[in-house]
Amino acid sequence: MAIPHPSARQQSRWLKAGIALLTGIFLGTAASTVSYAQPQRHADLIKGMNLVNPERLSADQQNAMLDAMKAAGVKTIRCGITPDDKGLDFAKRAAERGIKIDWIMGFGGYRPDAPTRAYQPDKYPEMWGGHPLSAADPEQFRAKYAPFLKRLEEAGIVLASFEVGNEINWTAFNQDFPLPGKGKIFGLKDLYDDPEAKQVAEGFKVYIKILSALKEIRDASTLNRKTPILTAGLSAYDGPEGQLPNGYHYDSVSTNATLEYLRTLGLDDIVDEYAVHIYPSAVGGDSAAANDKRKAFLDNYALNQCLSGNGKKKCAVTEWNFPQNNKSCPLDDTDHAKLVADMTNMFQKYADEGRVSSLYYFAWNDDAWSKNVTSASLFRCGALTESGKVFLDQSAGK
C-alpha cells in the first residue's frame, strides 16, 4: 500500500509545528528557462499561500513578508491569528495590503480535568503532546473567540474563511490517538467498534459542538456573516483503510470515514466546505502515468467526499505541495515547476467541475525558529521560486 513519502511528510510536519524554520536573507535566485503547460485560469478558484507561524516574526519581518506576497499577487493566506493585540495588528496590516486570511483557530481551552499525552521527542519527534480533542471545552472557545471576532470586525477585517483545528484525523495533531498506535487507517465501522477509534470518535463529537459554537458566533457577526466555515484540514493518505506496513506506529481515520462520521453528527448543517490536505507523491515526475496515479489518489481518497457520493460540500485544499529538496542558491527549480504546473492544472479541473473552491500551497516561508531550509518553502534565495510564480501567476490576475 502506498503511504506518503516519509521525508516529504516529515519536513512538512516540522515546518507546520515550528521546529524547522529559516527567515534569514538568502543569495539571489538563478533565472532559468522552463517549458511546461502553464496553469489554466479559473476565476472561481481561490489560490493562496500558507504563512507559517507569523507570530514568531517581528513586525518588520512580517511587513517584509506581506509586501513580498502582495508583489507576487497573493490575495489570500492561511495562518493563525493570535486573539490579542499583536494578532489584531497583524490582521490589519494584511488587510491594508489587500490580503485576506483563512484563519486557523485553536479549540479555545480544555476542561480542568483534561488528560495530557506527553511529547516524546526521542521516540516520536513528529507527534506533538497536549490535551485530547475530547477534553476541549466549547464554552471556552466561545468566550475566547467571540470577543476577538468583534474586535476584528471593528477594525474592518473581512476574513477569507474560518478553519478550526488542524489534521484532527491523525496522531500528530489529535491527542485522543495513543502512542504507539496500531499502525492503522481506521474506517467508519472502526469509529463504532474499535476501542481506540471509539475514543477518537468522542473527540469528533466535541469537535461538532465547537463548530456549532463558531457558527453561532459567525452568524451573529456583521462583516463576516457570509464568511465560509471549513472543517479542520484533514490529512489524506494515498492508500486504503486498514493495516499499514510493519514499523509504522501512528494511526489515522481516513478522510472519507472522518467526514462520513461527522456528517452523522450534523456536519453539513454547520460547515460550508470540507478542508483537506493533499501531499501527492512526486515519484514519476510529470509523466502521464504519475499524473494518473495522482488523480486516482484524489478521486479515491483526498477529494472523494467533495460533492460526490454522500458528500454535499466543495473541498478547500488548505495544504498541498511537492517537496523541493534542492536547497542550493542559486536554485534550479525547473523540474519542480513542471510538477507544480501539472498538479495545479489538475486541481483547476476539479474547480471547473465545482468540487474544489480554494487551493493553498504549503508554504510561502519556513518557520522562524528553523535552523535549516525545508523542502516546502517557495520563497528562497531572497526571491519567489519559479514554482511559486507558476502557482501564483493566475491568482495575480496576470
Side-chain angles (χ1 to χ4, degrees), residues 207-245:
Y207 184 67
I208 284 289
K209 294 178 181 179
I210 293 172
L211 287 178
S212 296
L214 173 59
K215 187 176 188 301
E216 292 176 11
I217 294 168
R218 192 276 310 265
D219 290 351
S221 68
T222 52
L223 298 181
N224 285 281
R225 189 170 297 175
K226 295 184 178 181
T227 298
I229 295 174
L230 315 182
T231 65
L234 301 177
S235 178
Y237 286 82
D238 55 342
E241 297 167 351
Q243 199 66 38
L244 290 164

Side-chain angles (χ1 to χ4, degrees), residues 178-189:
L179 279 172
K182 297 178 178 180
K184 184 176 180 179
I185 300 177
F186 293 115
L188 182 62
K189 187 174 183 296

